[in-house]
Structures are given as C-alpha cells and as structure tokens.
Amino acid sequence: MNAGRGGMAALLGFVSGVIAVQTLPELPSPMLLAGFAIAAAILFFCRWFLGCALLLGFVWASAFALLRLHDDLPHELEGRDIHIEGTVASLPEPNERSVRFEFDVDRILGPEDSRVPRHLRLTWYDAGRTIHAGEHWRLTVRLKRPHGMLNPGGMDYELWLFSRNIRALGYVRESTGNVLLKPANPWLPGAWRQFLSDRIHDTQAGSPFDGVIRALVLGAEDAIAPPQWEVLRRTGTAHLIAISGSHIGLIAFLAYAVTARATTQLHVMRCPPSALAASAAITAAAAYSALTGFAIPTRRALLMIAIAMGGIIAQRHLRPARTLALALAAVVLLDPLAVTSPGFWLSFLAVAFILYLLTGRLHRPGLVGGLAWTNWATSLGLAPALLFFFGQISLVSPLANLFAVPVLGLAITPLALFSALVLLVWPAVGEVLMGFTETLVAWSWKALEWLSALSWAQWQHAAPPFPMALLAALGVAVLMVPRGIPGRWLGLFLLLPAATHAPAPPSEGSYRLTVLDVGQALASVVETHAHTLVFDTGARLSDSFDIGTAVLEPYLRSRDISAIDTLVVSHGDNDHIGGAAALLRRFPVTVALSSAPDKLFHPGARACHAGQNWEWDGVRFEMLWPPAPGSAEGANPGGKENDISCVMKISAAQGSALLTGDIERDAESALVRRHGTALASEVLLAPHHGSKTSSSPEFLSEVRPSTVLVSAGYRNRWGFPSPQVMERYRRFGIRVFDTASGGALTVLPAAEGPGTEILPYRLRHRRYWHDTAIRTERPAGAAPR
C-alpha cells in the first residue's frame, strides 16, 4: 500500500515539476539543468523518490522547451523572400480572401546558412487555386517570428503556436516559382482527411451545419460559424462537437463491446476475449486519432485509453485513481506543454471528479437517475476550473448536457462517423445517411439555441486568482462528500472568495488607462472608480474575427465590467471602429460618441465635438476636437477623415492623458491654435500610431508629454512608429512604450508621489515562450516642461 502511494506521489511530483517550468519567464541554462539532473540521481539513490520525480519533471520540461525554442527563425530572415519546399500538413482553412494552412519544410532553396523552422503556419492571399493536405509544394514565402496580441483576459496566441510547434508565421508571395511538385499520397492519413472533408462538404453544400458535421467527424473546427460557437459556449456543450476524449472514448468503447461480443459468440479461446477487445479498442482509437490528424486532445485521450486497455491486456488490476495518475504522467511525459491547455485540466478533472462521486457511496441511483445526478454534479465540480480559465460558467450546462450527451454524443456522432465511412465506399447511400445526420443535428440545434437564448444561460465573472479557484474546488468536493458526513454545507463558505472576487477599481479621483494590444489598430479602456469609457474598438479582420470579441470583451470581463458608460469611436476607419458592432451586441452602452456616428449601430449615437465635458468620480473628461458644428474654425482643416478624429483629454490628480485618434499635422496645428498650453498632458497616445504625418514638433511642444504610448502592430507594413517620429520623441526627452513590444500598456497612478506608472503586460506576465524584445525608449533626462 505504501509503495503504491509512493508511486502515486512520484507521478504527481513529476507533473508538478513540469508545471513549475511553465511559470518561468526564462528557461534555466543547460548547465543548471545538468546540475538538477545530478541532484535527481542523488535523491533517487537516497530513496527520496518524490524529490527525484519533481526534479526530473522540471529538467524534462525545460529540455523539451529549449529544443523547441532552438528551432526558431533568425531575426535577419524576417521579411525576406525565402524559397522552400515541403508538405501541406493540415486541412487548409479557406476564408473570403485567403487560405491558411500549416506547412512542414523539407528543404530550403537558398544560402546554405539559412535556417527556417521545420513547422510553419502560412497564409496564401487570393491563391486562385485549391490546396489540399498532403500535397508537396515549392513556395516563395515571407516569414516572421511568432508574435501575437497579449492582453489581460485574452488568448495567449504565442503559447497556442508554441504548443503546436509552430515557430514561424508567414504568407506566400506571388511568384512563378510557386509550383505543385507532387500530389498527396492517397495512402497517408492527411490525404484521407482531405478527401473525406471534401466529400462531406460536397454533400452538405449550403447547409449551415456543414462545419458542425465536419468537426464531429474530423475535428475540423474552423468551419463552425461564430454564432454556433456562441451557442456551444453558452450551453457548455462545446466538448461534444470538438474532437475530444469523449469522441475517442466512445469509439474505443464501441470497438471493445463489439469485439468482446464477437469473440464470445465465436468461442475464441486462444486469447482472452477481454485482451482481444482491449486491443481492438486501442486500434480503433488510434485509427480515429489518425483520421483527426492526431490533434492534441486526441493524443491525450488515446494515451489514456492505451494505459487503461494495457492493464486489461496485461491482466493487471489497476485502480482507477492509479490509472488516472499514470495517464496524467504519461501525457505530460509525451507533451510537457499539455499542462498549459485548459482542455487538458478539464478532461482530467472531469474524470477525477466522476471517480470521486462513485467512491464511498452506499446509495446507488438507477441508470437514468445516476446519469442525471452525475451530469449535474460534474457540472458543479468543473465550475471552479471553468471560472478560473474562462471567467464564465454555463448555468444551463447540466440541462443542455443531459439532452446533448445522449443525442449528440451517443447517437449523432456515431451516425456521422458511419455516414462518412459509407461515403467512401458507397457514395449514394452515404449521401442519404449524411442528409439524415444533418437533419438530426438541425433538430437538436434548435434545443441548444433555445437554451442559449435564455437571459440567465451564462454567468460571467472576473476569473479568480488560482488560490481562490483551488479553495472553490475544495468547497465543491466538501459539498459532494457522501451523505451522512456532517458539515457538508461548510463547502459553501469555500466557494465565496471565488464567487465574490472582483479586481479593485481605481480609487476616487484617479483613473486607469489601458491601451490594448490589438495589432495595427487602436482600442483602449479608461476606468474610474465607478465608470468605464472605451476609446476606439480595434479592427474587424474577417467575418469570424474582430477585436471587440477577441480582445475588448475578454479584457472587460477580466475587470468585472458588465456595462460601458461611454463609447467613443474617434473616426470611421476600420482599425478604430471595426470592433464596435460586436461590443454593442455584448455590452449595454449608455452614451456613444463618434466623428462618424452614422456608422455606429447605436440608436443614440451622437457626434463628438469640442466643448463636450463631464466628470466621473473626481476625474474630468474633455473633448477637444473636432470643433462643434457651426464654429468659426473649419471642422476638417486638412480635408482628411483622420483629421476629424475625436480628441479627448483626461485629467486627474495623477496627471493628464491625451487620446488623439488618427489626427495628422493639420489637425494638430488647429489644436495648438485653439487650446495652446491647455493641451499639456503627462501621457500622450501617439497620433496616428506614430506615423510621420503626425506628432509635429509644435504639437509636442505644447503637449509636453513625459510618456508616449504607441498602438502599432508587430512588423506592420507601414513601419509604424516612424523612425523620424521616434527620433523626435527622443529629442524631446520623451519615453516611449509600444504595444507591439510591450503588449497591453496600463497607465496607473505612481506608487509613490504624484505622476503615473506604465505597466507593459508583456513584461509583467512574461513567459519563456514569449517574444522578449520589450522596446522602451527612456530619455536621459526629464521631459521639458
């Protein structure tokens, strides 16, 4: 018994060592890792297995990460034409203007010293041709190192790329050298995936559920429309659509059951029926995983099934808890980065909680009652993890899953798989079956849409810190202890810290300005003690991606903000107004102001103009530009839309901030004539992203900022911020922060004394996989006053 517990502790120690690495801003040196490895060997001979396992996990995860980081793109190759040959390694993801795909590089056609990462993510704009998985191409590409938007509450895109071993991004250049060298090998899984995806798409042409069915069969989730993802998210049923452990487990269970029954009926005696059934389950799960491209969730599920079935084949009785611990350690050994995925934790926590629910219970409900109770209890058990990872909990999830698990999971998914296989061998019958599958999906979707539409379907709350989430998980465990154990109700008190957690708002008389990292665009949020203002909303990049949904909403939720008091959109360019429509759909907005109010989908939208001012919680807001209608000065001196951008000044005890939109020199000159020294502000949001057409010397002389914040995209095609403007800032003694290198930039009152403090999110929350080029221009002396 003690040996068994010691082994469990060692397995969990190994996992803990791997987790510790993922919290590091930098990886340890190889020499230090060698020292840790020697220390682990000493601990092993001293029979301190827990410490040994902990160090081994740390060393293994660090070495794994170092090797992956080594396969990077040299800085000098960024933005240069590179000729490569390789294979399309994923199902292409087409959209309205381009097609995106992953690409395995086999050969570089260039200087011998050129080094390109093995695995790329490419975009081909206006390709004008069809691309298939498994094809071998020669391409001319331009690449850049992995770099993504980094914001509080938002997705860590660089981590997503790193976990998939994508070490460079790029696009295909138009060139006569772009040649298909060889079609896909029809016997490889990639070609089968592509062929099956095309066949399903052809049979479902025009169906709104084409993407859902392809996701059920192949794990190709890119074709699911954003409104459909919203339904799945609000009902807590996304796990039934995306290929996950439930799909692989279902396939393995069916293979096990059919094989066990067949071997019993055929009186197969040479090999135990259970061993044959377990082998069939592993084989079926592996085949299905290959069909889905061995996606990360399927690899985890396959490994778990292999360990459980391996125990049956070896005729070893493995306790469920030990099997789960072995699977956890095996998955982490295979892929240390798995611990960075919410899906990894949710899948293991779900299994662990179900085992907990089935342990020590004297009362056993019937099949239907047991499934209903387990479904409800599991939803409650996963609630702390869902709140920690996503800041939201589906309140209708127990009801939705009670319906969706048997219908979508146990009925429609096997039917979709069977229909897809029949499509390959008997297309006419397969099309009929696929049509029937589509009808069942449509019927079940109506129920999910109805549940999703309920106003109380989802509870959204600021994600609690890890200790609070851990306390809440303990509280749920206490609530679910077997009947008869006193004090279960005390678990409610353990839930309270996570349920009531809210980030501290700015104090009375101060503000918090956050310039979000939104690429080559602008989106910012101003918070006072009890009010919120959003200044610009970023871009809408495609039908399925806009900054309002991807960045602004997660940030506002992370700050526990559920309503916007004032929305200001400086002007009508897409990179400033593109996210507004999504934001207006998701948040109530009291006042909407813009120089282009007719482009805002808000019934009370008004034009911004000089003279508008108000005060919130001791903080003053003044609109300085454009001039009010009918004023003596022309509203657009330069005749450009940029020059009618709303310009706002925020004043408080900590200092002033000037938000400028995309104004250029003519508007800057007009502002100087109109306001003069009243423009003076400690913080300036760089006009027009740091373009050379803005930040004129006369404007800077009146504003006299000590800090400039630049919202610009990494390696953007305009070269913003302009080198000339950066040199001008330096001459004026201004320190400069930009979102491309610093991530979201937060302006707070200085910790000591008057003034402001700038907190770059990329610097404060740095991890070893992040791009580390934090560019902060600091002057030698103070800004001229």
Side-chain angles (χ1 to χ4, degrees):
M1 180 65 70
N2 290 336
R5 290 178 179 174
M8 286 274 289
L11 291 173
L12 296 179
F14 178 82
V15 175
S16 299
V18 171
I19 294 172
V21 173
Q22 314 314 325
T23 66
L24 298 177
E26 293 182 0
L27 291 172
S29 67
M31 289 294 292
L32 185 58
L33 290 181
F36 285 158
I38 294 171
I42 294 172
L43 291 175
F44 178 81
F45 286 112
C46 293
R47 304 185 64 81
W48 190 25
F49 299 122
L50 176 58
C52 173
L54 186 66
L55 280 178
L56 286 177
F58 187 90
V59 171
W60 167 240
S62 299
F64 183 94
L66 282 170
L67 287 172
R68 183 161 290 189
L69 285 175
H70 181 71
D71 185 30
D72 62 353
L73 180 72
H75 285 281
E76 59 270 18
L77 290 183
E78 287 190 292
R80 289 174 49 184
D81 284 356
I82 304 173
H83 308 284
I84 57 176
E85 289 182 5
T87 305
V88 179
S90 68
L91 290 179
E93 305 170 18
N95 59 38
E96 59 268 23
R97 296 190 305 113
S98 63
V99 59
R100 181 176 295 160
F101 54 95
E102 294 178 20
F103 193 77
D104 284 339
V105 178
D106 297 330
R107 192 158 69 102
I108 304 167
L109 308 176
E112 293 182 359
D113 60 345
S114 294
R115 180 166 57 87
V116 172
R118 161 74 176 159
H119 196 57
L120 311 175
R121 185 170 170 87
L122 300 176
T123 302
W124 199 337
Y125 294 97
D126 303 320
R129 57 177 63 83
T130 302
I131 302 169
H132 296 97
E135 290 179 338
H136 198 71
W137 283 83
R138 179 185 298 132
L139 299 173
T140 300
V141 300
R142 281 195 179 176
L143 303 175
K144 65 178 181 179
R145 296 163 65 88
H147 191 100
M149 297 179 287
L150 201 58
N151 297 283
M155 173 187 177
D156 189 342
Y157 184 55
E158 290 173 45
L159 172 59
W160 186 88
L161 293 171
F162 188 66
S163 66
R164 285 155 180 77
N165 198 23
I166 297 171
R167 301 301 301 135
L169 308 172
Y171 64 95
V172 179
R173 297 271 288 166
E174 285 304 315
S175 168
T176 56
N178 296 334
V179 178
L180 174 63
L181 300 177
K182 188 167 56 177
N185 185 336
W187 298 106
L188 293 179
W192 280 93
R193 290 193 77 215
Q194 183 71 69
F195 179 73
L196 196 53
S197 175
D198 293 343
R199 293 303 301 268
I200 294 173
H201 179 65
D202 292 342
T203 61
Q204 298 296 309
S207 169
F209 301 107
D210 168 42
V212 174
I213 293 174
R214 280 194 282 162
L216 286 172
V217 176
L218 299 167
E221 302 170 16
D222 59 283
I224 299 179
Q228 292 174 329
W229 277 122
E230 180 72 8
V231 169
L232 296 170
R233 182 169 63 91
R234 287 179 61 84
T235 57
T237 53
H239 65 100
L240 296 173
I241 300 298
I243 296 298
S244 63
S246 59
H247 293 74
I248 307 296
L250 176 63
I251 295 297
F253 171 76
L254 291 175
Y256 185 96
V258 170
T259 306
R261 183 62 180 265
T263 53
T264 302
Q265 293 291 329
L266 296 173
H267 303 290
V268 176
M269 303 300 292
R270 182 168 298 179
C271 186
S274 59
L276 286 175
S279 300
I282 295 174
T283 302
Y288 186 41
S289 298
L291 189 63
T292 63
F294 285 108
I296 292 175
T298 64
R299 294 204 301 263
R300 293 198 299 261
L302 177 61
L303 198 53
M304 291 177 67
I305 289 168
I307 290 173
M309 294 296 105
I312 295 175
I313 294 171
Q315 297 184 345
R316 294 285 300 275
H317 176 67
L318 294 177
R319 292 179 180 272
R322 190 173 300 175
T323 302
L324 186 64
L326 277 171
L328 179 68
V331 169
V332 170
L333 178 65
L334 180 68
D335 181 12
L337 291 169
V339 299
T340 64
S341 166
F344 167 85
W345 291 110
L346 290 173
S347 59
F348 275 102
L349 287 173
V351 175
F353 198 72
I354 291 172
L355 292 177
Y356 172 72
L357 293 174
L358 298 177
T359 302
R361 313 285 165 165
L362 298 177
H363 174 69
R364 299 280 183 175
L367 177 62
V368 176
L371 288 175
W373 180 78
T374 302
N375 177 58
W376 175 84
T378 304
S379 297
L380 178 62
L382 292 179
L386 290 169
L387 189 61
F388 174 72
F389 285 121
F390 305 114
Q392 57 192 20
I393 298 171
S394 173
L395 299 180
V396 299
S397 175
L399 181 58
N401 279 283
L402 190 62
F403 152 77
V405 167
V407 176
L408 270 174
L410 300 180
I412 293 179
T413 297
L415 178 60
L417 288 169
F418 179 70
S419 302
L421 293 176
V422 174
L423 267 177
L424 298 177
V425 296
W426 198 350
V429 176
E431 289 180 10
V432 174
L433 290 174
M434 197 59 73
F436 181 58
T437 302
E438 193 269 344
T439 301
L440 291 180
V441 171
W443 287 348
S444 62
W445 202 262
K446 290 180 181 179
L448 294 178
E449 284 183 322
W450 180 82
L451 288 170
S452 172
L454 296 174
S455 59
W456 51 272
Q458 190 176 61
W459 181 54
Q460 294 180 313
H461 188 69
F466 178 73
M468 289 185 184
L470 192 61
L471 201 63
L474 179 61
V476 172
V478 171
L479 288 172
M480 291 290 112
V481 297
R483 292 181 183 178
I485 297 179
R488 292 193 302 170
W489 58 274
L490 292 173
L492 292 172
F493 290 97
L494 299 178
L495 298 177
L496 287 178
T500 58
H501 164 74
S507 59
E508 192 79 21
S510 65
Y511 65 88
R512 177 190 180 102
L513 165 64
T514 301
V515 180
L516 294 165
D517 182 7
V518 293
Q520 190 55 41
L522 176 62
S524 57
V525 178
V526 183
E527 302 169 58
T528 66
H529 183 69
H531 295 82
T532 301
L533 178 144
V534 173
F535 188 93
D536 282 344
T537 62
R540 181 174 180 266
L541 301 179
S542 69
D543 289 341
S544 59
F545 187 88
D546 67 85
I547 296 300
T549 303
V551 177
L552 268 167
E553 181 184 7
Y555 174 76
L556 293 171
R557 301 295 185 196
S558 75
R559 296 290 301 163
D560 204 31
I561 294 170
S562 57
I564 298 170
D565 297 286
T566 298
L567 168 64
V568 179
V569 175
S570 63
H571 62 299
D573 284 356
N574 176 57
D575 59 329
H576 294 253
I577 199 173
L583 200 67
L584 288 166
R585 285 196 302 268
R586 295 169 185 271
F587 291 88
V589 175
T590 304
V591 176
L593 302 172
S594 176
S595 64
D598 54 310
K599 294 184 179 181
L600 281 178
F601 296 98
H602 188 280
R606 308 195 314 266
C608 62
H609 59 79
Q612 294 169 329
N613 60 80
W614 63 93
E615 186 172 309
W616 289 338
D617 313 313
V619 179
R620 182 169 178 79
F621 294 80
E622 302 172 83
M623 197 71 71
L624 304 181
W625 190 262
S631 63
E633 185 173 14
N636 191 353
K640 300 177 182 178
E641 186 174 0
N642 285 346
D643 278 332
I644 60 170
S645 295
C646 308
V647 176
M648 172 181 287
K649 183 177 180 180
I650 307 164
S651 303
Q654 73 199 66
S656 302
L658 190 64
L659 313 185
T660 57
D662 272 358
I663 59 170
E664 300 184 29
R665 284 197 187 94
D666 290 326
E668 289 177 350
S669 298
L671 277 166
V672 168
R673 289 193 300 270
R674 173 183 280 263
H675 297 286
T677 57
L679 293 172
S681 301
E682 282 75 13
V683 177
L684 171 66
L685 184 53
H688 200 194
H689 315 282
S691 163
K692 65 181 178 181
T693 62
S694 305
S695 296
S696 59
E698 62 171 337
F699 182 70
L700 294 178
S701 296
E702 295 298 341
V703 179
R704 295 178 293 160
S706 60
T707 302
V708 166
L709 310 179
V710 182
S711 180
Y714 177 71
R715 295 189 60 84
N716 64 83
R717 59 178 174 170
W718 295 278
F720 294 162
S722 163
Q724 299 99 305
V725 170
M726 291 294 290
E727 178 59 31
R728 191 175 303 148
Y729 290 151
R730 276 191 285 269
R731 289 203 309 269
F732 274 81
I734 303 170
R735 61 175 183 170
V736 181
F737 295 84
D738 69 278
T739 57
S741 59
L745 306 172
T746 300
V747 180
L748 293 172
E752 297 181 2
T756 57
E757 180 181 4
I758 313 299
L759 301 180
Y761 188 75
R762 187 177 287 273
L763 186 62
R764 289 185 297 142
H765 295 269
R766 178 178 168 187
R767 294 293 182 266
Y768 67 83
W769 56 79
H770 287 151
D771 185 1
T772 56
I774 307 294
R775 183 175 65 208
T776 305
E777 302 291 344
R778 298 183 181 273
R785 304 304 297 170

